[in-house]
Amino acid sequence: MKQDTWRKALLWMSLLGALTLAATLTVFVFPSSALRPWAVMGFLSIGPGIVIMLFLPETDLLAKWMLIIAMSFTADILLATLFMYAGWWSPTAILAILLVFSGCGLSFHTVRSFFPYAIQPAVALRARRHETPPAS
Amino acid sequence: MESYTIIRRLNLSRLHAYTASDLPLIAAPLIALSLWVLSLPRVDVGRMNDLGLVSALPPTTFVALAILIVSFGFAVQTPKQRTAILLLHLGLLILMLYGVTALVEEMPRFDIVYRHAGFTEYITRTGGLDPDLDAYFNWPGFFIFSALLVKTLGVPSILSFAAWSPFVLNLLAVAPLYSIFSSLTSDKRLVWLGIWVFMLTNWIGQDYYSPQGFVFLLYLVIIAIFLRWFTRTSPSPVDDLRVPTERLARGVVRHLWLSWAFPPQTAVSMQNTGAVSRFFAWLQAPKVAEPTISSRRQISMLICLLAIFGVVVCSHPLTPFFVLISVTGLVVLRGYRPRWLPLVLAAMTVAWIFFMTRAYLAGHLAPALGEVGQVDATVGAGVFGRIVGSPGHVFITLMRVAMTALIWLLAVSGFFARLRSRQQDATVVILGLAPFLMIIAQSYGGEILLRIYLFGLPAVAFLVAGLIFPSSKAVWSSRQAAVTIALSLVLLGGFVFTRYGNERNDYMSVAEVAGMRQLYRIASPGDLLVDVSEGAPWKFQQLEQFDYMTLMDTIPKDLAPPNVIAIAAHIRHDTKHTAYLIITRSQAATLESTTDLPPGALDRLEIALVASHQFKLIYHNQDVRIYVFTGGPP
């Protein structure tokens, strides 16, 4: 991965990780925290969208933000509506699913960024072939 | 050495790109912001008259806006545009235009926001929906999301954050507007000025905390995705009509408007051809940028688009149709792919309506279908029906009509200016005109013209900006800077009246909301709550537990001169429970400014009600009076 791309991916993953952690802590550990509205609003507004956008690389920053926000709200609303019509209405459970989704997405992208060979055996094999010096 | 490494790693070297000539363009908006912030404490919303918020704003707020506009006029002209500087200007404009009410008013504005708080409260309290209670529960996506927000944020209701909705929604609209305009032109000056004009002309006020405000943002995102990531086929399906139309034109409409609108010099490739051929060539002109997009990427974006449209479909009854006609127009007339997309969008819309909104359809299908084709009635209700009330309100309404006409006129001029500069704007024209098809289908309670204006506004704003930048020759021009500033000042002058002209009615005071909270403490489930006219901040809790009545809607002729016997009989007929009559400041303002009742009618009505001894005052504060209906003289 190029250094610039790697740096940007790291930035997005850090943001996602911070939001996921902040929302988890303020809702489940410190529910009376004054930071809770900000943390949860921040997470619901961009968290799920960052996970989706890490799969869809986009160079234009404004287009990227547009998709992140739109896909976050879309994921929130579709999941909440599904829960409502299924008769399982539980805001905490909906938030928990979104947090788990973001956590899993973050883990996947972390592994893909830092240990690409772990999830891409073919790439690993090719890379090893190139790295191995020819036998003299 | 070490600090250099950190700077390099953080990529702060970009700051080196800024030169001394950029400093005034950074300083000016910050000065404007300081001036604006300092003037806010002097805003007294209680002093507002029929001209709205403009009557309560100190002159320094307008000076601040003027500084910002002048600065933007130069910033957008600069050959090496700085995105950060332009975003700073836009962000501050949005704050000053759309965030002002959240800062100077104590409570969220608009009585409807309180009703939306009631829908959300119903969901959070019961954990379910009641489609028979209100039409909104048949399209509940947005309210389910609101309930999710309230519960997970740990706030008492949406009233905790609803006041910031206009600011947030318009700020979020910048990114999709940028994407839309960037796919229409390579001239970034036009892109930024288009967004700027959009913000100065979005006076409709549908950006309050509401499903329509939220899904309009998603509408912009859908159009942005479609224009940016989907490719065209050439010729488009409509090209099959070219030959028969050409024959028709030769015989019937030769030398008419097509010849004038599409003269031979509009494009080199169109020279020496007939007007119809030139029209079809204009319609089929290639996209400004046709980047190579992999089919895998297109499928991903298609899934995103359909998911977003799914939210639109389940959140608002009208917006899916605006999406549908815009996308259909682009597919049929411009040849965008996939051609089956309109069918899928239509199927999703129809499926939701037929399977999920049966409760609503049962009572409303026939009236809704009855409105189809009633264009005269729609225009009458949407325009002429609103020109009533106090002289101040009539002035505001006429101002809205005039500003709309001016903006559309500027857009048409911009279109022809760009056409003469050989710019192909077929996509823009389709996006601007497609919403007008909705006028045939619905009056939407007299609001369809407002919605048409809103959904056509991105295209209109682009074309208005095109009047200043008709071609993409990026050269510094003091004339263009001056015209940009002058146009912005004119649009700002119109905006403050058209957007906030009814602010005296829309503003809700703390005392009013406190009075309504007291009403819900006093009243018992099943009681009848009566207001004289619309405008009271109520229905924000226990929505299904009370009956509601608005006298202005049911017995308007008995209000002036006051006919207490008729009013009492009407209330008695409507309930066997206790009835409460509520009179609020915003209600009085609405009644006075937007109806044809004579001045002082509400005061005379209240005096007559008290004198009849059938209404007893049980609560009052500076903005609210609550009477209990006793049913007869003591």
Side-chain angles (χ1 to χ4, degrees):
Chain A
M1 198 184 279
K2 285 180 185 174
Q3 190 184 353
D4 191 45
T5 315
W6 183 86
R7 190 174 54 80
K8 283 178 182 169
L10 185 66
L11 205 65
W12 286 112
M13 287 191 291
S14 306
L15 181 61
L16 177 63
L19 283 171
T20 307
L21 187 67
T24 307
L25 287 176
T26 54
V27 172
F28 297 105
V29 184
F30 308 108
S32 54
S33 164
L35 290 176
R36 180 177 167 180
W38 299 99
V40 178
M41 185 64 101
F43 171 75
L44 289 175
S45 302
I46 60 175
I50 293 177
V51 176
I52 295 166
M53 281 311 294
L54 284 171
F55 287 101
L56 302 169
E58 172 58 44
T59 50
D60 188 320
L61 194 63
L62 278 174
K64 191 172 200 136
W65 272 107
M66 172 188 81
L67 288 172
I68 284 174
I69 293 166
M71 291 314 295
S72 288
F73 287 140
T74 299
D76 301 343
I77 295 176
L78 290 182
L79 187 66
T81 306
L82 182 73
F83 266 61
M84 174 60 75
Y85 279 103
W88 306 329
W89 176 248
S90 166
T92 314
I94 295 165
L95 181 67
I97 289 173
L98 290 168
L99 287 168
V100 169
F101 171 70
S102 298
C104 292
L106 180 63
S107 306
F108 176 80
H109 283 293
T110 306
V111 171
R112 196 174 71 160
S113 301
F114 291 96
F115 313 103
Y117 302 152
I119 54 172
Q120 290 174 305
V123 175
L125 192 64
R126 268 203 304 275
R128 233 176 268 138
R129 273 183 196 152
H130 285 293
E131 281 168 10
T132 310
S136 56
Chain B
M1 188 67 184
E2 196 176 325
S3 61
Y4 171 74
T5 311
I6 292 169
I7 287 172
R8 192 165 55 84
R9 286 202 173 167
L10 292 175
N11 212 10
L12 293 182
S13 54
R14 282 183 189 177
L15 291 176
H16 294 170
Y18 289 85
T19 59
S21 62
D22 294 323
L23 276 179
L25 300 177
I26 299 170
L30 295 179
I31 291 168
L33 176 65
S34 310
L35 195 60
W36 186 75
V37 168
L38 288 173
S39 63
L40 286 185
R42 288 188 284 138
V43 179
D44 181 6
V45 286
R47 284 192 304 130
M48 273 188 291
N49 59 26
D50 277 356
L51 294 179
L53 192 63
V54 70
S55 61
L57 291 176
T60 43
T61 52
F62 298 105
V63 174
L65 278 161
I67 292 171
L68 189 69
I69 283 173
V70 171
S71 176
F72 178 82
F74 287 100
V76 78
Q77 283 282 331
T78 312
K80 282 186 181 176
Q81 284 178 333
R82 311 292 186 203
T83 303
I85 291 177
L86 290 165
L87 277 174
L88 174 69
H89 282 83
L90 261 174
L92 290 182
L93 181 77
I94 294 167
L95 176 68
M96 290 181 188
L97 295 184
Y98 298 97
V100 62
T101 49
L103 290 168
V104 301
E105 297 179 3
E106 309 96 332
M107 299 300 296
R109 56 202 287 272
F110 267 139
D111 55 328
I112 302 166
V113 169
Y114 294 82
R115 203 172 59 175
H116 291 174
F119 297 139
T120 307
E121 190 267 347
Y122 179 90
I123 296 172
T124 55
R125 180 165 43 83
T126 65
L129 303 167
D130 183 358
D132 293 318
L133 188 62
D134 195 283
Y136 275 121
F137 280 136
N138 293 275
W139 288 271
F142 176 77
F143 292 110
I144 293 171
F145 178 55
S146 296
L148 176 71
L149 282 181
V150 167
K151 294 299 274 186
T152 54
L153 265 58
V155 295
S157 79
I158 64 161
L159 299 179
S160 303
F161 53 81
W164 284 99
S165 175
F167 170 70
V168 171
L169 288 177
N170 282 289
L171 195 64
L172 294 182
V174 170
L177 285 172
Y178 180 86
S179 282
I180 292 172
F181 295 163
S182 293
S183 60
L184 299 173
T185 179
S186 56
D187 185 353
K188 292 297 176 197
R189 298 172 308 168
L190 185 54
V191 171
W192 290 110
L193 185 58
I195 303 172
W196 183 262
V197 170
F198 178 91
M199 294 305 164
L200 282 168
T201 50
N202 185 13
W203 58 262
I204 291 295
Q206 292 296 326
D207 43 23
Y208 62 95
Y209 194 83
S210 61
Q212 65 267 30
F214 178 72
V215 295
F216 177 69
L217 176 69
L218 298 184
Y219 165 84
L220 293 177
V221 174
I222 288 172
I223 298 298
I225 290 175
F226 197 62
L227 294 181
R228 188 181 173 92
W229 282 286
F230 289 80
T231 50
R232 293 179 56 240
T233 49
S234 190
S236 71
V238 82
D239 199 55
D240 297 339
L241 296 173
R242 188 176 59 80
V243 174
T245 312
E246 210 162 19
R247 283 181 188 153
L248 186 72
R250 254 187 236 122
V252 185
V253 292
R254 180 178 281 181
H255 305 308
L256 290 183
W257 75 274
L258 275 175
S259 305
W260 176 77
F262 300 95
Q265 70 271 25
T266 48
V268 176
S269 60
M270 296 184 206
Q271 279 181 3
N272 303 321
T273 55
V276 172
S277 290
R278 289 198 295 276
F279 171 72
F280 275 90
W282 169 80
L283 201 58
Q284 312 262 322
K287 280 171 77 173
V288 171
E290 287 272 19
T292 309
I293 300 162
S294 68
S295 56
R296 190 177 158 190
R297 185 61 192 270
Q298 279 192 337
I299 291 169
S300 309
M301 297 316 298
L302 185 65
I303 293 168
C304 289
L305 188 150
L306 290 176
I308 296 169
F309 186 70
V311 173
V312 174
V313 164
C314 74
S315 296
H316 195 241
L318 194 63
T319 307
F321 293 99
F322 280 108
V323 177
L324 190 57
I325 54 174
S326 296
V327 170
T328 306
L330 292 173
V331 168
V332 173
L333 299 174
R334 290 281 288 150
Y336 275 84
R337 290 187 298 177
R339 289 185 181 178
W340 46 260
L341 185 60
L343 295 177
V344 175
L345 301 184
M348 287 170 72
T349 308
V350 170
W352 183 272
I353 290 172
F354 278 94
F355 292 112
M356 308 303 284
T357 69
R358 282 184 181 167
Y360 177 79
L361 284 182
H364 296 86
L365 185 60
L369 291 177
E371 288 184 0
V372 175
Q374 305 286 328
V375 178
D376 286 354
T378 301
V379 174
V383 181
F384 306 113
R386 291 170 186 268
I387 308 176
V388 290
S390 66
H393 180 257
V394 169
F395 168 75
I396 294 296
T397 311
L398 290 174
M399 190 84 178
R400 287 176 171 175
V401 175
M403 283 306 291
T404 304
L406 173 69
I407 291 161
W408 282 347
L409 188 68
L410 289 173
V412 172
S413 308
F415 165 73
F416 284 114
R418 279 180 59 76
L419 193 65
R420 303 261 159 184
S421 299
R422 304 182 181 186
Q423 304 297 320
Q424 315 286 359
D425 290 326
T427 301
V428 189
V429 172
I430 291 166
L431 289 175
L433 293 180
F436 279 90
L437 287 176
M438 290 299 291
I439 205 169
I440 302 166
Q442 268 284 318
S443 77
Y444 207 65
E447 281 195 11
I448 196 70
L449 289 177
L450 297 176
R451 306 299 170 94
I452 288 169
Y453 175 88
L454 179 65
F455 283 90
L457 191 55
V460 167
F462 180 87
L463 291 174
V464 171
L467 192 60
I468 296 173
F469 300 122
S471 70
S472 53
K473 287 177 191 167
V475 289
W476 166 257
S477 161
S478 56
R479 191 184 69 85
Q480 282 181 330
V483 173
T484 303
I485 293 165
L487 175 73
S488 300
L489 288 172
V490 169
L491 295 179
L492 173 71
F495 181 89
V496 291
F497 287 104
T498 50
R499 167 90 183 185
Y500 294 117
N502 288 338
E503 197 58 22
R504 196 163 70 99
N505 315 349
D506 300 334
Y507 155 65
M508 299 295 158
S509 68
V510 173
E512 280 177 278
V513 180
M516 291 299 108
R517 290 194 199 283
Q518 184 63 23
L519 171 71
Y520 286 106
R521 276 194 284 272
I522 298 168
S524 305
D527 287 349
L528 177 67
L529 309 182
V530 184
D531 67 352
V532 180
S533 77
E534 289 177 356
W538 64 358
K539 300 184 182 178
F540 54 80
Q541 63 183 63
Q542 299 157 279
L543 190 66
E544 80 288 7
Q545 295 176 7
F546 298 95
D547 290 326
Y548 291 90
M549 178 198 289
T550 298
L551 296 177
M552 193 64 199
D553 294 344
T554 51
I555 46 170
K557 288 179 181 172
D558 293 322
L559 300 182
N563 184 347
V564 180
I565 295 170
I567 293 170
H570 191 68
I571 292 174
R572 210 175 286 127
H573 176 262
D574 214 69
T575 186
K576 290 186 173 62
H577 294 261
T578 309
Y580 297 91
L581 178 73
I582 300 101
I583 295 175
T584 66
R585 184 210 59 81
S586 54
Q587 228 185 88
T590 305
L591 199 70
E592 196 179 296
S593 63
T594 63
T595 67
D596 48 9
L597 291 183
L602 187 64
D603 292 338
R604 285 191 288 278
L605 173 69
E606 199 172 347
I607 291 167
L609 292 173
V610 172
S612 73
H613 298 293
Q614 297 190 74
F615 294 87
K616 183 183 168 190
L617 185 69
I618 55 167
Y619 174 85
H620 72 97
N621 65 27
Q622 64 191 68
D623 287 336
V624 174
R625 290 175 299 286
I626 300 174
Y627 295 89
V628 63
F629 177 59
T630 57

